[in-house]
Amino acid sequence: DQQVKQNSPSLSVQEGRISILNCDYTNSMFDYFLWYKKYPAEGPTFLISISSIKDKNEDGRFTVFLNKSAKHLSLHIVPSQPGDSAVYFCAPSYNFNKFYFGSGTKLNVKP
Amino acid sequence: EAGVTQSPTHLIKTRGQQATLRCSPISGHTSVYWYQQALGLGLQFLLWYDEGEERNRGNFPPRFSGRQFPNYSSELNVNALELEDSALYLCASSPDRGEYNSPLHFGNGTRLTVT
């Protein structure tokens, strides 16, 4: 039951450039979308979220874009920093449930 | 504020044995969630407890079970361990009872290895 897909297992970006992480979903009921970041040997931590009534949410270097018609969201990190190297999970929800996570994208930001 | 704590950090068991994993949520959080992250896979939802009751469970066999205690801490039990149960088990807590879109707060996980 793959309702959430992050099709790029890994991404490598040069420091200072933009990182774009993508997430696709199939369930049109999803109405809230969260991104989590996970460092090795640590649990995921919340990064940024967006409601389905918006198409963009920005927080510092992090921006999430939502395209409901395409059932696609993306996380942009500008400029990318080596400390951003981590695994990023997309986690959509509906009816406030917290059950769905993507498989994650491992971002490597090279100095 | 202390975060979500999980114990043990690592656990090695033999196939067929039982494993017990423990989780203490952030103070004031009543909901506890359990997830499994097998190697190379994403987080798979296992169980959700709130106010001592199981509210929902993911697509896992009944040998995965747990409970939540009156102090809101939680235990995950895995019976009749199989090799494919080897994974990182993450516990998360939430300040709401599934009523709002508040993010989850995760512990650092228990690495279960079944040999």
Side-chain angles (χ1 to χ4, degrees):
Chain A
D1 183 12
Q2 292 285 318
Q3 298 198 39
V4 188
K5 288 186 179 179
Q6 292 178 254
N7 291 319
S8 298
S10 63
L11 175 67
S12 187
V13 171
Q14 203 67 37
E15 180 180 6
R17 306 294 291 270
I18 184 171
S19 295
I20 300 176
L21 294 89
N22 295 303
C23 176
D24 295 294
Y25 60 95
T26 56
N27 192 337
S28 59
M29 299 289 288
F30 288 139
D31 58 6
Y32 199 74
F33 305 84
L34 298 90
W35 284 92
Y36 290 83
K37 179 168 75 171
K38 184 181 185 299
Y39 292 117
E42 295 183 10
T45 56
F46 169 70
L47 184 60
I48 192 170
S49 62
I50 187 169
S51 164
S52 60
I53 62 174
K54 296 185 176 181
D55 54 20
K56 177 183 175 181
N57 188 27
E58 194 171 348
D59 183 1
R61 297 185 297 112
F62 302 91
T63 303
V64 56
F65 295 91
L66 175 62
N67 183 334
K68 290 189 291 294
S69 61
K71 295 189 178 66
H72 176 84
L73 67 157
S74 60
L75 174 67
H76 293 210
I77 306 173
V78 182
S80 301
Q81 300 174 353
D84 297 329
S85 297
V87 177
Y88 291 79
F89 293 98
C90 163
S93 72
Y94 69 95
N95 287 342
F96 311 113
N97 74 70
K98 307 174 198 295
F99 310 140
Y100 303 99
F101 279 77
S103 54
T105 296
K106 185 175 183 179
L107 174 65
N108 179 32
V109 180
K110 297 178 287 186
Chain B
E1 174 185 81
V4 176
T5 57
Q6 291 187 245
S7 63
T9 306
H10 294 86
L11 188 59
I12 300 175
K13 291 286 186 178
T14 303
R15 193 170 62 180
Q17 287 187 318
Q18 178 197 43
T20 298
L21 290 66
R22 296 180 176 83
C23 172
S24 293
I26 291 173
S27 177
H29 288 194
T30 62
S31 276
V32 170
Y33 298 76
W34 287 95
Y35 293 85
Q36 180 197 66
Q37 186 183 17
L39 191 63
L41 298 179
L43 278 68
Q44 303 295 316
F45 167 69
L46 266 165
L47 290 158
W48 169 33
Y49 291 95
D50 180 72
E51 295 288 358
E53 294 196 12
E54 181 181 302
R55 300 295 184 179
N56 206 337
R57 66 179 294 128
N59 188 25
F60 281 84
R63 57 190 187 82
F64 286 84
S65 65
R67 53 182 173 166
Q68 186 179 34
F69 299 99
N71 66 353
Y72 302 116
S73 67
S74 178
E75 214 172 69
L76 173 69
N77 294 296
V78 188
N79 294 319
L81 285 165
E82 299 179 2
L83 295 178
E84 52 264 35
D85 296 334
S86 295
L88 179 67
Y89 289 83
L90 290 161
C91 171
S93 71
S94 172
D96 64 70
R97 295 179 171 82
E99 300 157 332
Y100 305 100
N101 283 311
S102 52
L104 295 170
H105 299 257
F106 283 88
N108 289 336
T110 293
R111 172 72 62 185
L112 173 64
T113 302
V114 183
T115 61

